[in-house]
Amino acid sequence: MRTAGLLSLALAAAPALVSARGTLGFSLGDKNADGSCKSTSDYEADFDNLKDLSTLVRTYSGTECDTPQNILPAAKNKGFKVVLGIWVGAQDSSDLSTNDASFQKDFAALKTAIPGYEDQVEAITVGSETLYRGDQTGPSLHNYIGLVANQFKSITVGTADSWNKFADGTADDLFTRDTDSAPWSLMSSPMPLPTGRTYFDDMSGAMSHIQKVAGSNSDKIRILNGETGWPTDGGSDYEAAKAGTTNAQTFWQTGVCGMLAWGVDLFYFEAYDESWKPDSVGDNGEAMDEKHWGLRTADRQTKFNTTCPY
Ligand SMILES: *[C@@H]1O[C@H](CO)[C@@H](O)[C@H](O)[C@H]1NC(C)=O
């Protein structure tokens, strides 16, 4: 929890950004608490509940739970915008050609779901952490982004990946090669760690690197923080970062509010607790509880004070 202290440091070293306040969005799951797929009316209830904070949400899959077909009519009815995802992932890590099957399946689903709802689509992300997992290279991912951008000419198309893959040059090809697509990046961000690798440092490092390699392409590139959050009571600790509602509120009021004040658009992970989720195994090999990342509970109740101090 060192984000507050690092804010002034990060500001001093920050790349030039627009001075306007950043836009807050939410990662939104596609399942109800009991594990059933959300319907259009479930999304409408989410939107009614979230609209005091935001009218922008991010989803991940083109086919799981028929997310695009179900969410786009709800977004139109309630005045929301949605980031849609195309999943690009090897089903079998020994056969990377299985990446293509997942891409084609989700791409086909978006071609069916989007027409008539273009105004509800804030952007499309092609792949989520494909560079981080090693499922794609910069050039191969760029080709997939180009295919989607060519299909949806009025929509911004890009990718989401781990901040360090933007900072270390793995993603450089996305920002340097001539393209018809508007490269657009969405970074996921790990929890702040006690080693000094913190939220503001990570964002600043990745954004500086992208702006440096993009050069004159910089004004075509939109950078957003794709995921940031903190688990509340019942969640799993990550090294010195302790799950808890008090810490989550502190992270919101310093990290999230600070990043918005700095002018960065971000998606809070996530809008609601996902009670159906099984534990995952974290980087440290320990079981991680993923049910308590919601800003609000699964039945849409507020957990803590989300008024920004600035
Ligand atoms: C909520 O947080 C804001 C910003 O820090 C503060 O001004 C306000 O007094 C808080 N409200 C309550 C009820 O604690």
Side-chain angles (χ1 to χ4, degrees):
M1 299 300 291
R2 299 173 54 196
T3 50
L6 281 164
L7 178 56
S8 53
L9 189 72
L11 282 171
L17 284 167
V18 289
S19 56
R21 187 174 176 79
T23 299
L24 170 67
F26 284 93
S27 293
L28 187 62
D30 57 15
K31 295 192 174 119
N32 294 306
D34 64 4
S36 62
C37 288
K38 283 184 184 172
S39 64
T40 297
S41 60
D42 292 319
Y43 286 119
E44 286 178 343
D46 286 346
F47 292 160
D48 282 341
N49 177 264
L50 283 177
K51 67 174 189 278
D52 58 322
L53 288 173
S54 168
T55 54
L56 176 65
V57 294
R58 178 180 176 205
T59 63
Y60 293 83
S61 170
T63 43
E64 183 183 88
C65 284
D66 291 332
T67 300
Q69 287 96 317
N70 290 330
I71 201 171
L72 288 173
K76 191 168 201 162
N77 292 342
K78 299 293 179 182
F80 268 63
K81 291 221 174 197
V82 183
V83 174
L84 296 173
I86 288 182
W87 188 255
V88 184
Q91 313 298 303
D92 170 357
S93 59
S94 66
D95 179 6
L96 293 187
S97 71
T98 55
N99 274 303
D100 194 60
S102 74
F103 169 80
Q104 297 298 348
K105 191 159 75 104
D106 278 17
F107 188 26
L110 293 196
K111 286 185 207 168
T112 305
I114 290 177
Y117 293 102
E118 286 83 354
D119 289 350
Q120 278 67 55
V121 183
E122 173 83 5
I124 299 170
T125 54
V126 181
S128 180
E129 301 190 345
T130 58
L131 301 174
Y132 176 74
R133 289 193 305 273
D135 285 354
Q136 292 288 310
T137 63
S140 66
L141 180 57
H142 198 140
N143 289 342
Y144 280 130
I145 291 171
L147 290 175
V148 179
N150 202 38
Q151 175 73 29
F152 302 108
K153 291 198 165 38
S154 67
I155 296 175
T156 306
V157 181
T159 193
D161 221 298
S162 177
W163 69 272
N164 54 318
K165 295 292 147 189
F166 291 110
D168 72 9
T170 309
D172 281 3
D173 189 78
L174 302 182
F175 308 110
T176 51
R177 189 142 57 95
D178 258 0
T179 177
D180 288 338
S181 65
W184 187 78
S185 54
L186 197 68
M187 285 173 269
S188 55
S189 212
M191 290 192 289
L193 295 179
T195 51
R197 274 177 42 203
T198 67
Y199 186 28
F200 287 88
D201 284 349
D202 294 351
M203 286 299 297
S204 168
M207 290 190 295
S208 303
H209 182 85
I210 290 169
Q211 288 179 348
K212 193 176 79 194
V213 297
S216 59
N217 273 340
S218 281
D219 57 355
K220 290 192 282 180
I221 297 172
R222 183 173 170 200
I223 302 171
L224 303 87
N225 176 202
E227 289 180 347
T228 193
W230 200 286
T232 53
D233 291 330
S236 296
D237 299 341
Y238 188 87
E239 299 179 2
K242 303 296 178 204
T245 301
T246 305
N247 287 349
Q249 176 171 311
T250 304
F251 179 66
W252 176 275
Q253 297 225 345
T254 56
V256 173
C257 296
M259 193 61 76
L260 292 170
W262 192 26
V264 177
D265 301 338
L266 68 88
F267 289 84
Y268 191 75
F269 185 91
E270 57 190 329
Y272 303 109
D273 285 346
E274 296 194 78
S275 317
W276 61 272
K277 269 197 175 177
D279 287 351
S280 70
V281 177
D283 288 350
N284 56 5
E286 289 171 19
M288 302 286 278
D289 180 301
E290 296 214 326
K291 301 177 182 69
H292 297 87
W293 286 79
L295 183 73
R296 293 180 174 166
T297 62
D299 56 356
R300 305 190 185 97
Q301 303 300 308
T302 297
K303 295 181 184 178
F304 55 79
N305 180 356
T306 53
T307 304
C308 281
Y310 33 72

